[in-house]
Amino acid sequence: MAAATVSVERAASGARNSAALDFLRKPKQLLIGGKWVAAKSGKTFETINPSNEEVLALIAEGDKADVDLAVKAARKAFDEGQWSKIGPHERARYLFKIAELIDKHADELAQLETLDNGKPLTFSSAFDIPAAAETFRYYGGWVTKIYGETNPSDPSFFNYTLREPVGVCGQIIPWNFPLLMAAWKLGPALACGNTVILKPAEQTPLTALRLGELIMEAGVPEGVLNIITGFGPGAGSSIAEHPDIDKVAFTGSTEVGKIILKASAGNLKKVSLELGGKAPNIIFPDADLDQAVPTAMMGVFFNSGQVCCAGTRIFVQREKYGEVVDKLAKFSKNVTMGDPFDQKSTIGPLVSKEQFDRVKGYLEVGKKEGATVSAGGEAGAGKGYFVNPTLFSDVKNEMRIAREEIFGPVGTAISFTDENDAVFQGNNTEYGLSAAVWTRDISRAHKVARSLKAGTVWVNCYNQLDPISPFGGYKQSGFGRELGRYAIDLYTQIKSVWMKL
Ligand code: NAP
Ligand code: MG
């Protein structure tokens, strides 16, 4: 329901960037066929600043009628070929231009991201926004390198393959890295010549909308990118079900991933899913603890723990368990939580009231299950969705806090007996997105990296993410690989051409 008044001054009190404030004051509409328009229904919804619970802006609430129009626009743009059939150098230049515009407006985008999501400005400035620009730049480089093959056919024939765009793509993204997730989706889709309907998460639509303006400013033809803000059931489900969308790419919960997969069956859309995780973060006794403790713990707390690859199950070998848990707890107690515009803050609030209640619920579950609270364990007092950095120890891998994705700043320390046990417990989860190993023994590092069932394994580091390397899940963490050259596979299809000589 729309609020009677929105006070940008009150809601965005920490922000200092005048362009960000000006953007907040403008209407937030849908992008369809190159035009910014209200939702057909006229409805809007609120986006909230999670630091102070004030309404930042009213956003157009798109639903099926709007998705239908966006799909028509995307189909027309695709079929007319002013994107899919232009020369690769030209299309590459558009992607480079988008990257340049993100860099040019980096401070504005970082402040909008911090206002909408609650992540500290130091992180949105140093990570989210530059990484989004790099992603467009990286895929700009790919446009001129999307090759087909000539195949060793019988000499009386000539056989070659063409890599062609898939067509109209629906892309549904979450709220934890709003601009970066838009870049991971749009970069490769646009590079390969597809047209897109993007649905940002209802909690964090602002930077995707600003990115839409920048993409139009870059001169990308109308209809190539369409943005439908709105809710999962309504906007998101209409995309997943739409008979004229060729591919759907989704990042979010495993639960919704399954709904998307079912909905895609109607017209057999190509589907890629990047879902949840419950990553093992295995610290062997020979690890360099000065490096392992802070980096592994930040692998839990980064972005207030709202990270699909967060290393929330910290495994420590039994003989060192007490010593290492003391160090992990000491580090956790020193993590500064607070106003995301304050440079001293390492973590800000959770994104929403819903997420806050969910994470608070898990704090109670952990206590009831008999885990020991070694740090934190409480929600912050006062306004904003703050939860203290928390470490549970004496956790068993069977407990709910070790099995279910909490998506908050909550780590669980679990003991193991030996390498086999560490790998067994580490893999004993329905997820398989990422994992980490801490050891100075290189042979063990490689062996364990091979044994872990996860799409990414970090050795003596955490959260190394870069468009050069693929990202995606084993098991119920999804399928398909984003980033790297693998995303080119997601957004192209192969045609085999036979010619009689
Ligand atoms: P979610 O519902 O999976 O949201 C992800 C995206 O899917 C959003 O854009 C959402 O729209 C959309 N969506 C929701 N229901 C849909 C439907 N029936 N059809 C099509 N699209 C739909 O995630 P959430 O509810 O925000 O968070 C719940 C939990 O999911 C978190 O606690 C966390 O465990 C997990 N999660 C994982 C990731 C990840 O990166 N893997 C990201 C976010 C959340 P609206 O939000 O606009 O309704
Ligand atoms: Mg918000």
Side-chain angles (χ1 to χ4, degrees), residues 172-176 199-203 230-233 236-237 240 250-254 256 259-260 274-276 307-308 354-355 358 405-407 433:
I172 302 173
I173 56 173
W175 41 258
N176 47 354
K199 196 205 85 67
E202 71 189 62
Q203 298 85 349
F231 299 126
S237 56
F250 170 80
T251 298
S253 59
T254 295
V256 174
I259 298 175
I260 303 273
E274 200 266 271
L275 309 174
V307 184
C308 46
E354 187 187 355
Q355 200 58 22
R358 195 184 146 89
E405 189 174 44
I406 298 176
F407 238 57
L433 192 58

Side-chain angles (χ1 to χ4, degrees), residues 30-31 67 70 74 136 169-174 178-179 181-186 195-201 205 207-209 211-212 215 224-230 235-236 239 245 249:
L30 312 173
L31 177 60
V67 169
F136 280 103
C169 300
Q171 303 187 316
I172 302 173
I173 56 173
L179 187 73
M181 289 300 104
W184 282 24
K185 295 276 183 285
L186 292 174
T195 59
V196 173
I197 296 102
L198 177 75
K199 196 205 85 67
T207 48
L209 292 171
L211 176 66
I215 289 179
V224 171
L225 169 64
N226 305 273
I227 303 179
I228 302 292
T229 45
I239 290 173
I245 291 182

Side-chain angles (χ1 to χ4, degrees), residues 147-171:
Y147 297 103
E149 291 168 331
T150 57
N151 300 311
S153 62
D154 182 281
S156 59
F157 291 91
F158 174 43
N159 176 253
Y160 63 94
T161 54
L162 292 171
R163 247 180 206 273
E164 298 185 337
V166 177
V168 174
C169 300
Q171 303 187 316

Side-chain angles (χ1 to χ4, degrees), residues 46-50 56 115-118 201-206 351:
E46 299 170 344
T47 191
I48 307 284
N49 178 346
L56 282 163
L115 287 170
D116 215 9
N117 167 282
E202 71 189 62
Q203 298 85 349
T204 56
L206 294 176
V351 73

Side-chain angles (χ1 to χ4, degrees), residues 74-121:
R75 175 60 60 196
K76 181 166 180 283
F78 185 77
D79 289 345
E80 287 178 355
Q82 66 277 54
W83 186 250
S84 59
K85 293 192 180 133
I86 59 174
H89 295 292
E90 190 184 352
R91 198 159 63 237
R93 276 198 297 277
Y94 284 112
L95 275 97
F96 295 137
K97 180 75 186 167
I98 296 167
E100 224 174 83
L101 286 170
I102 293 173
D103 285 339
K104 184 172 159 199
H105 297 278
D107 185 49
E108 175 190 354
L109 289 163
Q111 300 221 10
L112 288 172
E113 203 75 306
T114 290
L115 287 170
D116 215 9
N117 167 282
K119 63 178 70 202
L121 185 63

